[in-house]
Amino acid sequence: MKVIKDQNIILSNSKTKDFLADAYYPETENKLPLVIFVHGYKGYKDWGAWDLMAEKFAEAGFFFVKFNFSHNGTTIENPHGFDDLEAFGNNNYSKELSDLDVVLNHFTIDPKVDDQKIVLIGHSRGGGISIIKTSEDIRINGLITLASVDNLERFPKDEAFENWKNEGVYYVENGRTKQQMPHFYQFYEDFANDPHRFDVERSMEMAKAHVLIVHGTSDEGVSVKNAEHLHILNPNTELFLVENGNHVFGAKEPWEEENLPEDLNKIVEKCIEFINDKIVNE
């Protein structure tokens, strides 16, 4: 089956700024279920093995979309690097939810898409954003979280918080690029202005979609306890744990091999099976 790759589509969001998206889909006359991948903190659409993951979903008969949040630090000119640290510092949860809505609005009207079959897949912090969006948007039929956080109140504490408030910025080093990545205080203010909306626990309890929760038992970035907690909050969900799996399921940046890492491949196969069982063939 031939897979069509429509890469670096420019999407415009009047509330944020332009950003890029990719669409991978099989050459067919049939309308296809829409699967949207939501990257996490310090993530981007072309990271690691995400391209291979997109191909595998497309080969399975899905219209698969991945995109860069407008303020994730990448640019239209360079989607692979953090060239715009000012934008990164000005990112917040409201902007990410707004960008995700733009992605949904753009691709649900694509003539190749079946707008009655829409699935979000969120990785890490993108899982938290996807949980909230699923609770807010009746268009979404399925939700898959990969190594997701169970809350978005992830800010400096105590003295570090006071320093952030007083100085207006704190920095986190990117372990791979060694860049000092800024977080401006507006990030917290955005959260504090609407904590009810950004309550991931409440959103998970309210989620009406079919939900699959995936996590590695050796996740060094987000504890597997987050997945177990999300499952307790909504017992109708399915919990799939990857024994000894890490935060990115064996992938890394750059990923130079031709095939998916074993754990990520196993997960993609599980996700395809879940979507077919719960949404495509229900």
Side-chain angles (χ1 to χ4, degrees):
M1 180 186 294
K2 181 184 177 184
V3 170
I4 296 167
K5 303 175 186 178
D6 192 358
Q7 295 172 301
N8 295 325
I9 304 160
I10 299 177
L11 300 183
S12 296
N13 184 353
S14 60
K15 295 179 181 176
T16 59
K17 62 176 187 166
D18 292 358
F19 59 95
L20 297 177
D22 300 337
Y24 286 57
Y25 52 91
E27 196 171 44
T28 176
E29 297 300 312
N30 299 327
K31 283 186 176 287
L32 303 168
L34 174 63
V35 179
I36 298 173
F37 177 72
V38 184
H39 71 72
Y41 174 61
K42 290 189 285 191
Y44 48 96
K45 68 179 180 64
D46 299 307
W47 186 91
W50 297 150
D51 283 348
L52 290 175
M53 177 177 72
E55 286 185 46
K56 184 154 182 151
F57 272 100
E59 288 165 358
F62 301 116
F63 191 104
F64 187 91
V65 171
K66 55 190 176 74
F67 68 100
N68 283 335
F69 280 121
S70 63
H71 284 67
N72 73 344
T74 64
T75 63
I76 300 290
E77 297 74 27
N78 180 19
H80 301 267
F82 296 114
D83 285 1
D84 192 348
L85 292 180
E86 182 78 13
F88 183 90
N90 279 303
N91 194 20
N92 59 46
Y93 300 141
S94 293
K95 287 173 181 170
E96 293 194 349
L97 284 163
S98 178
D99 289 340
L100 180 51
D101 195 56
V102 166
V103 174
L104 274 159
N105 293 340
H106 180 86
F107 289 103
T108 50
I109 60 172
D110 189 296
K112 295 175 285 296
V113 164
D114 181 349
D115 65 3
Q116 299 302 303
K117 294 172 180 164
I118 300 174
V119 180
L120 297 184
I121 301 179
H123 178 249
S124 195
R125 189 169 96 181
I129 294 296
S130 299
I131 292 167
I132 292 169
K133 185 60 179 168
T134 299
S135 76
E136 292 183 343
D137 197 322
I138 60 171
R139 293 176 294 180
I140 298 163
N141 315 103
L143 167 67
I144 298 171
T145 65
L146 305 180
S148 178
V149 298
D150 63 359
N151 75 84
L152 290 176
E153 197 168 353
R154 305 171 79 83
F155 305 110
K157 306 291 186 192
D158 304 324
E159 184 181 353
F161 179 83
E162 290 304 315
N163 289 339
W164 185 25
K165 185 177 181 179
N166 293 332
E167 295 170 13
V169 62
Y170 81 93
Y171 294 89
V172 173
E173 183 174 289
N174 185 311
R176 181 175 59 84
T177 67
K178 303 307 178 187
Q179 290 167 289
Q180 295 297 318
M181 307 189 76
H183 299 71
F184 300 127
Y185 188 64
Q186 64 78 32
F187 182 31
Y188 175 76
E189 290 177 317
D190 175 70
F191 177 86
N193 284 337
D194 202 353
H196 187 66
R197 184 187 189 197
F198 302 130
D199 186 339
V200 173
E201 296 172 333
R202 181 186 69 88
S203 295
M204 180 55 95
E205 289 174 337
M206 292 173 57
K208 297 292 192 290
H210 298 288
V211 181
L212 172 65
I213 299 166
V214 178
H215 219 104
T217 62
S218 298
D219 190 327
E220 72 293 350
V222 178
S223 169
V224 69
K225 291 179 180 178
N226 286 250
E228 293 162 346
H229 183 212
L230 291 171
H231 182 51
I232 289 168
L233 290 167
N234 189 336
N236 292 323
T237 59
E238 181 178 349
L239 179 62
F240 183 74
L241 299 182
V242 181
E243 197 64 34
N244 298 319
N246 68 6
H247 189 57
V248 287
F249 307 106
K252 62 180 180 178
E253 170 65 21
W255 184 257
E256 296 172 334
E257 298 180 35
E258 292 183 5
N259 298 311
L260 284 166
E262 183 179 349
D263 282 351
L264 187 55
N265 187 62
K266 184 193 306 180
I267 286 164
V268 172
E269 289 177 350
K270 173 64 180 177
C271 292
I272 290 168
E273 177 189 314
F274 176 82
I275 297 169
N276 281 327
D277 287 350
K278 300 294 186 182
I279 291 152
V280 176
N281 302 322
E282 69 169 351

